[in-house]
Amino acid sequence: MPETRKIAAILVADIVGYSRLAGADEDRILARLRALRSDLIDPTIAVHHGRIVKRTGDGSLIEFHSVVDAVRCAIEVQNAMVERNAGVPEDRRIVFRIGIHLGDVVEESDGDLMGDGVNIAARLEGIAQPGAICLSEDAFRQVRARLDLAVNDLGEVQLKNIEQPIRVYSLEVGVPAEVKSATPTKPAAPEKAPAGLSPPDRPSIAVLAFQNIGGDPEQEYFADGITEDVITDLSKIGGLLVIARNSSFAYKGRAVDIRVVARELGVRSVLEGSIRRAGGRVRITAQLIDAETGGHLWAERFDRELSDIFAVQDEVTQRIVDALKIKLSPSEAARLDAVETTNSRAHDFFLLGRELLWGTIRNREAFGRSIDLFEKAIAEDPSYGEPFAGLAMAQILNWQFHWTDDWSQSLEKAERHVNLALQKSPQVAFVHYVASVFYLWKKDLDRSAVESDTALDLNPNFAQAHNARGIVNIYAGQPLAAVPHIEQAIRLDPLYKHQFIHFLGTAYLVAGKFEAAAALFKERIQLNPETDLSRAFLAVALGQLGEAEEAARVWRELMGINPKYSFAEHVGRLPFRNKADVDRLTDGLSKAGISG
């Protein structure tokens, strides 16, 4: 039988300190392990419909069709081990670490499993505390409504040999149910917002991720997608400050106090809701809450055919506008009435592709799957421009990360998709934002500026577009003009400032304000300890400040993180218009005695 590719829940477990236990009394530990397998572990796996793929001494690789089954199996085993270890001297206890991930795997002809799905589960097991269960975000999303124990949100963690950071949750066995954020030792996303962000004078809102209550975890993307569409529609209104998806989704799966959310994000109102999709029907409930009083400004339930989903989104947006007493300009009203597609299948495929493209895992596999989903959306509705923009963005990312062998041709492919997206959806901010990113990397800074300005005209609350406009100013030789745009991106997406603060530091660095730049790069390193780019530019700033010894220390850290890093290659790819700006960067390294 040839190899097959599939999605599976993978559980990896091993014994903490097995070598020490075996060294003390190998015969006894092997006998105890055999007994545990026969009367606890194997029966529990069978009850929860698991398949033991292989065992490697003290470790096990187990496949489940359901994440729920995998987690229940892990909880049962860990609880049983707490009981069995009671009264056993600590140095003789058998304690398991467990990692669980839902992902793509390859099944070999002999039944063995390989691929990223297995590798991520194994890395999660490696960082789990003794007696704990670590879940990836993809796995946690499937089970969070069914958990009966406490969860620590560890934030984003850079797992060994896994390209992109992955958000990790640690389950605490035997503790009452709740979800809480721990102070992570690895870079966390989101980071904590400044305490007591002041709301603006104008109306402001955060839209929390709608809960998927239909019982089908595969519909999670649909609930997220509808929430994001509501955020996008509200963001088109210039008189309303709308918090970006990243920051509002940071509270997903957590029991939160609306007043705390509003204070952390600096808004006056919060929208929350739920979605139930079953067959050809969808039920959406939504409630708009005044963050100061906790009272309802508006609440409603919609029961519709799935084909009416776009009309429901429009109604939700209009009800919020009415409740907040916002007066729309004619152009804003027209943008809210615009419909990109009436094909629900095309919209479904686009939502799935967008979820993959902006997900925590960015690799060749995710790239290929997102391409396939965007192409399916286009096949359903060839006039739908956003999937073409999705294809373009995927190709831009491929050009940056070199996922495929023909990555060098990716900008050419992206250009075709950008042009089609602009032709088909000229009134969509996302399309112009992607065009702005494309023209930036083509080093056409004037066109990039036009596209980001157009995106912001269509969506004044588009944090990524504000950042893009700031980046264009940096590379065009107007770094201080970039500062207000990047600061506004941080205001709109306060829990994810690590995405933008590097560019804020770069603006001050290019402007010759080296102390301000150094402070910002240091803050970025605190927020994202694995960054190499911010360390490189910090070394430049320190060199310009005459702090050669500190610059050298930072550079050693950088090379420890990325031994292949090349400053010349890095800066050579950046689309600076003025050679003097590049020379200032190189000069900073030279003053620090560093050859990049």
Side-chain angles (χ1 to χ4, degrees), residues 574-587:
L574 300 179
F576 280 105
R577 174 174 287 168
N578 302 324
K579 184 176 181 297
D581 292 333
V582 178
D583 291 343
R584 187 178 296 110
L585 301 180
T586 306
D587 183 53

Side-chain angles (χ1 to χ4, degrees), residues 166-407:
I166 291 178
R167 192 161 190 169
V168 179
Y169 297 83
S170 177
L171 309 191
E172 294 181 35
V173 177
V175 182
E178 63 176 313
V179 178
K180 57 187 179 180
S181 293
T183 302
T185 56
K186 293 286 186 177
E191 60 264 5
K192 186 166 180 58
L197 264 178
S198 299
D201 293 333
R202 57 186 168 130
S204 50
I205 189 171
V207 181
L208 301 185
F210 282 19
Q211 293 181 8
N212 169 34
I213 60 172
D216 181 359
E218 293 187 1
Q219 294 303 319
E220 195 74 23
Y221 80 92
F222 182 74
D224 289 351
I226 298 304
T227 310
E228 187 163 354
D229 284 348
V230 171
I231 293 172
T232 298
D233 283 345
L234 291 171
S235 295
K236 298 173 183 176
I237 303 170
L240 178 65
L241 183 140
V242 183
I243 295 298
R245 175 202 194 272
N246 283 338
S247 288
S248 61
F249 271 52
Y251 301 93
K252 184 175 176 178
R254 294 163 52 186
V256 295
D257 183 326
I258 294 298
R259 292 167 297 181
V260 173
V261 172
R263 187 167 60 250
E264 290 183 347
L265 298 180
V267 294
R268 299 183 183 276
S269 55
V270 176
L271 181 74
E272 61 179 5
S274 63
I275 293 181
R276 180 189 299 274
R277 176 175 172 177
R281 295 194 64 81
V282 61
R283 170 182 290 179
I284 297 179
T285 62
Q287 51 186 359
L288 183 65
I289 301 168
D290 184 311
E292 184 175 353
T293 67
H296 285 72
L297 297 171
W298 162 77
E300 196 164 337
R301 186 177 78 184
F302 304 85
D303 284 293
R304 301 290 177 82
E305 295 292 329
L306 186 59
S307 57
D308 292 335
I309 188 62
F310 307 108
V312 174
Q313 289 175 210
D314 292 343
E315 285 188 54
V316 170
T317 302
Q318 189 59 55
R319 297 290 193 279
I320 295 168
V321 169
D322 293 344
L324 296 178
K325 299 180 172 57
I326 297 171
K327 183 174 177 59
L328 299 177
S329 69
S331 61
E332 288 171 339
R335 287 200 293 271
L336 289 181
D337 288 340
V339 176
E340 288 307 307
T341 183
T342 57
N343 186 314
S344 59
R345 281 178 55 81
H347 189 57
D348 248 15
F349 285 130
F350 174 66
L351 292 181
L352 281 165
R354 185 175 65 182
E355 189 76 9
L356 271 173
L357 198 62
W358 302 125
T360 56
I361 299 176
R362 286 185 172 181
N363 55 24
R364 181 171 185 154
E365 178 189 336
F367 164 76
R369 289 170 63 196
S370 66
I371 290 286
D372 180 60
L373 289 162
F374 290 135
E375 289 177 344
K376 286 180 177 177
I378 292 166
E380 290 287 340
D381 183 357
S383 66
Y384 188 14
E386 288 183 271
F388 286 99
L391 287 173
M393 195 68 202
Q395 292 294 349
I396 293 168
L397 292 172
N398 187 35
W399 182 79
Q400 291 178 303
F401 294 110
H402 303 181
W403 289 320
T404 64
D405 295 337
D406 63 345
W407 65 268

